[in-house]
Amino acid sequence: MKIKKAIIPAAGLGTRVLPASKALPKEMLPIVDKPAIQYIVEEAVNSGITDILIITNRGKGVIEDHFDHSLELEHMLRKKGNTEMLNTLIDTANLANIYYIRQRETRGLGDAVLRAKEFVGDEPFAVLYGDDVIVGDVPATKELCEVYEKYGKSVVGVKTVPDELLTKYCSLKVDKVGDNLFDVSDMIEKPKITEKFSNYSVLGRCVLDSEIFGILEKTPLGAGNELQLTDAMKVLARDGKMMATEFSGKRYDMGNKLGILKANVEVALEHKEIGEDFKTYLKEIVKEL
Ligand code: UTP
């Protein structure tokens, strides 16, 4: 079955990037010249997704405005003959069918996903975490969708992470079954280092069967007193219904300051308008380090 729907949870508090994220959702922080969430929406669209639900709290208006037409700007660009930027803005407004819902209380990623129950219905769907930008030749969500379509099981996007990050993310019990492909039989959210299964962790992408909603509804609050998506996915894993794939792109964590800087530097170096100038500038300043 082709996956057509995706949800983007963007209702976290973003405390690690305050004060930048006080009035602006961290998902709207830019990487060079586009907000992080636009990279994520484009990844979804390039993976065959047509309908996207963005889960917001504050700053909903800013996200809606970004993916809508700005008639005033479009009129001005048309008048000035700036067709290139005009087309860029029009393309952004026409990327996909985008819907919005508010998560009224910040009760965790699992609770944010549960807000999408009506939107999703009984289809499989993709989840793209709003603060994880993945840059690569093949869209990460496409890689996950292909696994779902072939095996009919939920699938998480993984990479190995060092121990100090694993305790902040989650750890998966995996058996390799192919190139970059694993069966997952257990998982644990924010493990102590003595509890880890492996250094494979979920990094920002999953494709889930709609069965997850019934499980989430029965899942008690977990780590941090939040409803953890991992705790619900664990039920699927223990039931033999979960796989993992190591996606090929590079992931940037826009939820912390260093991640934001790395994303900006690396994307800027490849940018067709400023890449060369930026490289020259970087080479100059590294001499002084
Ligand atoms: P994080 O774990 O980074 O949560 O969420 P956070 O609250 O934004 O971060 P800090 O710790 O306060 O800095 C991962 C993704 O899940 C979303 C976030 O917006 C982010 O995209 N999320 C998290 C929700 O939508 N709702 C929640 O209740 C929690």
Side-chain angles (χ1 to χ4, degrees), residues 110-129:
D111 180 72
V113 170
L114 200 44
R115 300 303 109 216
K117 186 180 170 191
E118 307 301 324
F119 167 81
V120 167
D122 57 7
E123 295 174 38
F125 63 103
V127 186
L128 294 84
Y129 302 7

Side-chain angles (χ1 to χ4, degrees), residues 14-281:
T15 49
R16 286 165 298 151
V17 285
L18 281 170
S21 57
K22 186 181 171 200
L24 189 73
K26 62 180 168 183
E27 293 78 7
M28 282 299 288
L29 294 173
I31 303 177
V32 187
D33 53 4
K34 289 192 286 190
I37 196 164
Q38 186 174 339
Y39 291 83
I40 296 171
V41 167
E42 286 172 352
E43 178 194 317
V45 170
N46 292 332
S47 304
I49 301 291
T50 54
D51 292 81
I52 298 172
L53 178 72
I54 302 181
I55 295 145
T56 62
N57 56 0
R58 73 203 184 295
K60 175 179 149 104
V62 189
I63 301 180
E64 281 194 25
D65 287 349
H66 184 74
F67 291 108
D68 196 359
H69 287 284
S70 166
L71 296 180
E72 193 186 352
L73 275 175
E74 288 173 18
H75 175 71
M76 189 271 290
L77 292 168
R78 202 170 278 120
K79 225 165 91 184
K80 287 194 168 167
N82 188 344
T83 322
E84 197 182 336
M85 187 49 71
L86 175 65
N87 290 338
T88 302
L89 294 199
I90 293 176
D91 288 349
T92 307
N94 291 333
L95 272 171
N97 302 319
I98 305 183
Y99 307 86
Y100 302 87
I101 194 165
R102 277 191 193 242
Q103 183 189 20
R104 293 205 186 88
E105 279 177 73
T106 312
R107 294 182 63 230
L109 183 57
D111 180 72
V113 170
L114 200 44
R115 300 303 109 216
K117 186 180 170 191
E118 307 301 324
F119 167 81
V120 167
D122 57 7
E123 295 174 38
F125 63 103
V127 186
L128 294 84
Y129 302 7
D131 57 355
D132 278 319
V133 170
I134 301 176
V135 177
D137 293 337
V138 185
T141 299
K142 186 164 190 259
E143 294 175 325
L144 269 68
C145 288
E146 283 170 1
V147 175
Y148 184 91
E149 282 154 21
K150 186 159 176 202
Y151 297 93
K153 291 185 186 181
S154 294
V155 41
V156 284
V158 298
K159 293 262 188 209
T160 50
V161 300
D163 282 354
E164 61 274 18
L165 279 184
L166 201 69
T167 53
K168 295 182 188 154
Y169 299 168
C170 67
S171 169
L172 306 192
K173 193 170 183 180
V174 292
D175 282 309
K176 198 169 169 39
V177 290
D179 271 354
N180 306 320
L181 193 63
F182 307 84
D183 275 333
V184 183
S185 54
D186 209 346
M187 47 210 295
I188 179 168
E189 178 70 19
K190 300 194 175 48
K192 296 193 188 84
I193 224 49
T194 48
E195 294 172 324
K196 79 168 180 183
F197 293 122
S198 75
N199 281 72
Y200 282 101
S201 194
V202 179
L203 294 186
R205 299 292 180 269
C206 32
V207 167
L208 296 170
D209 194 274
S210 58
E211 188 186 349
I212 198 77
F213 295 115
I215 300 171
L216 275 168
E217 281 167 339
K218 289 192 228 122
T219 302
L221 299 184
N225 216 25
E226 293 191 334
L227 184 53
Q228 297 290 351
L229 182 60
T230 307
D231 291 341
M233 293 197 293
K234 177 172 76 184
V235 176
L236 291 178
R238 288 181 176 176
D239 237 8
K241 296 178 182 167
M242 176 66 76
M243 299 185 79
T245 186
E246 188 162 353
F247 54 83
S248 58
K250 178 148 188 202
R251 170 253 188 190
Y252 299 100
D253 180 4
M254 293 295 288
N256 77 70
K257 297 178 187 88
L258 192 58
I260 295 171
L261 286 172
K262 286 181 184 172
N264 271 284
V265 169
E266 292 182 33
V267 172
L269 285 169
E270 299 296 320
H271 195 279
K272 58 178 187 323
E273 187 187 324
I274 59 157
E276 280 311 310
D277 288 349
F278 185 59
K279 196 181 287 175
T280 311
Y281 163 76

